[in-house]
Amino acid sequence: MTDTWPSTGARTELRWGDLRMATSGELSRVWDAEDLRRIARRRLPRLIFDYVDGGGEKEITLNHNVTAFDRIGFRPRGVAAIDGRTQTVSFLGRASSAPFGICPMGGLGYLCPNADVIAARLAAKAGIPHILASGASNSIEQVAAAAPDARRWFQLYVFRDPGLNRRLLERAAACGVEALVVTTDTQINAKRTRDFRNGFALPMRFTPRTIYDFAVKPGWVWKVGRHHNSAGMGNLMPEVGPNPTPAKAVTYFKNERSRSVGWEEMKLLRDIWKGPMLIKGIVTAEEAERAVALGVDGVVVSNHGGRNLDGTVTTIDALPEVVAAGRGKLTVLLDSGIRKGSDVVKALALGASACLVGRPVAFALAAAGEAGVEHVLAMIHDEIDRVQGLLGFTRMDQLDSSFVRLNAHP
Ligand SMILES: Cc1cc2nc3c(=O)[nH]c(=O)nc-3n(C[C@H](O)[C@H](O)[C@H](O)COP(=O)(O)O)c2cc1C
């Protein structure tokens, strides 16, 4: 992509494949992920906004996830041929048109009707992976039908009943899911202080406080809240017996989640799932080595966006030890705190194959649905392109640690 920002300040359309950033309306004033967050905050009932935005306990990890990227300095090469920049990367045996994808996130139906289908469709259009959460609002089947050509991955929270795990994996395989992502950092529920204060619970409870939160956002009630499936969990609806309802599916999910998942369970899943398998939530060399020994294909260096164990090391700080322990045998992805294209480039320079983006996509859904997701994906792509041009490289495989300095801005 060439630099298409005219000095007049008027914005031209920035195309990436078929994706483009919005040129009119509220989105045309969205310059970064923080702008989307501000719009989402205005639109959403407080308890929903805080469910997405918040983190564990004192939110130390939540905040450091973002600021840890700021400590890393770039070492640009100004004298460089930068025409013909491309973001294409290849990992797990397939090409992606950019070095980022969309995180698994449950509960997106609270932000926008059909949220997972929209996110998957836009990821397909962009040529990047989309990971559907087991607790997603839409089902694997709905997403497969809507985005048959996407790099569709499926995230599993391990359930107590091995039969349920097997059934979910069979459904994923039947729908052409490419890779399985098993999350390991959520064995028990974290203490999310904002959720406690707001009375947020799943299924949703109606208290004077929560009713007030909804009542002051009639636009959200009309566009999102009144939809039957906004609170659902599509993947579990077929599991809850006759007359399934969203509330039954959520209760079932909560009751059936395994509270203790060890390497034995990981091995069972590795044996069942024939395609690429990744473990999400690895932040130490020790666990990366176990993952290699188990024969998994990759890990997602993740602290769940600071939503779980508060005080967990930031992922950009953990990345080098995980990459080293992987000894080239693990595909290493990273999430938690990615807000800018420059964050993605820093992670790739330190050895990640690609990054995953969470909250910015969630807030884009809340801000403007489909147009919002299109905008945020194009925006991050555009930001990466500018960093490429200014840092002085054309292909992602040229990046290495010589492009960055750790603790340059302590
Ligand atoms: C609203 C929300 C729901 C999430 N649900 C899940 C989930 O169901 N499974 C999972 O593995 N991770 C889940 N995550 C964590 C994300 O996959 C990812 O690790 C995190 O959002 C990355 O951090 P970021 O939001 O700072 O980009 C969720 C995150 C959010 C914000």
Side-chain angles (χ1 to χ4, degrees):
M1 191 191 289
T2 49
D3 192 340
T4 53
W5 293 66
S7 55
T8 59
R11 175 178 267 181
T12 55
E13 286 172 353
L14 298 170
R15 289 166 195 279
W16 159 35
D18 288 339
L19 285 200
R20 65 185 64 183
M21 287 164 69
T23 53
S24 61
E26 198 168 21
L27 280 178
S28 68
R29 293 187 298 280
V30 167
W31 303 103
D32 62 17
E34 183 56 29
D35 290 335
L36 287 168
R37 179 175 177 268
R38 258 193 302 274
I39 299 174
R41 177 177 230 152
R42 244 186 8 248
R43 297 249 158 105
L44 295 171
R46 181 176 175 161
L47 80 170
I48 306 282
F49 174 80
D50 278 345
Y51 158 69
V52 176
D53 192 54
E57 304 212 337
K58 292 198 288 180
E59 302 190 338
I60 293 169
T61 299
L62 174 74
N63 294 319
H64 283 305
N65 273 345
V66 176
T67 56
F69 284 98
D70 301 340
R71 293 202 312 267
I72 298 173
F74 281 126
R75 301 183 65 245
R77 281 127 216 219
V79 187
I82 55 162
D83 283 342
R85 297 187 296 286
T86 169
Q87 296 185 27
T88 303
V89 284
S90 187
F91 49 91
L92 296 174
R94 274 181 67 176
S96 275
S97 66
F100 61 95
I102 299 180
C103 287
M105 289 178 278
L108 295 183
Y110 284 117
L111 309 182
C112 162
N114 244 1
D116 305 290
V117 158
I118 289 173
R121 223 172 23 223
L122 268 301
K125 202 164 161 190
I128 60 172
H130 169 263
I131 311 177
L132 185 74
S134 29
S137 309
N138 293 123
S139 69
I140 317 175
E141 290 79 7
Q142 286 173 316
V143 167
D149 303 328
R151 285 195 86 171
R152 279 177 290 104
W153 298 4
F154 177 66
Q155 175 268 331
L156 184 78
Y157 279 131
V158 181
F159 293 95
R160 290 178 210 276
D161 172 8
L164 174 57
N165 295 324
R166 186 180 284 275
R167 283 194 297 283
L168 285 169
L169 298 198
E170 282 169 0
R171 283 170 59 195
C175 286
V177 163
E178 174 193 346
L180 172 68
V181 179
V182 185
T183 299
T184 57
D185 56 15
T186 318
Q187 303 258 25
I188 59 171
N189 289 335
K191 181 170 179 182
R192 295 192 190 142
T193 316
R194 290 198 224 179
D195 289 352
F196 281 103
R197 290 210 174 99
N198 293 334
F200 180 89
L202 294 174
M204 200 69 80
R205 277 180 297 146
F206 290 99
T207 64
R209 168 84 202 239
T210 59
I211 290 169
Y212 172 81
D213 272 1
F214 294 131
V216 295
K217 300 289 176 183
W220 176 88
V221 172
W222 176 251
K223 283 194 193 134
V224 184
R226 74 193 172 94
H227 289 278
H228 177 65
N229 277 330
S230 61
M233 286 193 175
N235 293 319
L236 296 164
M237 291 292 260
E239 297 287 342
V240 296
N243 309 320
T245 62
K248 276 191 199 168
V250 172
T251 306
Y252 180 81
F253 176 85
K254 280 171 60 177
N255 294 341
E256 289 300 313
R257 277 268 311 282
S258 186
R259 295 289 176 250
S260 177
V261 182
W263 289 99
E264 274 308 300
E265 285 80 5
M266 287 292 157
K267 179 162 179 359
L268 285 177
L269 295 169
R270 174 67 291 187
D271 291 344
I272 296 172
W273 183 256
K274 301 303 172 210
M277 172 172 155
L278 299 96
I279 301 182
K280 175 171 181 277
I282 301 284
V283 289
T284 64
E286 293 87 328
E287 287 212 305
E289 280 163 12
R290 294 289 302 258
V292 172
L294 189 70
V296 304
D297 303 277
V299 294
V300 183
V301 179
S302 171
N303 56 36
H304 217 98
R307 297 166 72 76
N308 286 349
L309 178 63
D310 196 27
T312 300
V313 62
T314 67
T315 54
I316 195 69
D317 287 329
L319 179 65
E321 72 174 82
V322 173
V323 170
R327 302 193 306 273
K329 294 182 179 159
L330 284 179
T331 293
V332 179
L333 308 185
L334 175 142
D335 76 18
S336 301
I338 299 287
R339 298 291 176 270
K340 309 278 306 167
S342 55
D343 301 334
V344 175
V345 173
K346 288 172 182 175
L348 265 66
L350 292 172
S353 292
C355 294
L356 301 172
V357 183
R359 290 182 183 84
V361 172
F363 290 138
L365 281 161
E370 186 145 4
V373 178
E374 177 156 25
H375 189 87
V376 73
L377 298 183
M379 188 171 75
I380 295 171
H381 185 270
D382 171 63
E383 288 171 351
I384 293 174
D385 181 67
R386 285 164 200 276
V387 175
Q388 276 183 283
L390 294 169
L391 190 53
F393 70 102
T394 55
R395 296 192 325 270
M396 294 297 150
D397 62 6
Q398 293 165 332
L399 275 174
D400 61 29
S401 59
S402 71
F403 281 89
V404 292
R405 177 172 296 152
L406 301 181
N407 292 314
H409 313 291

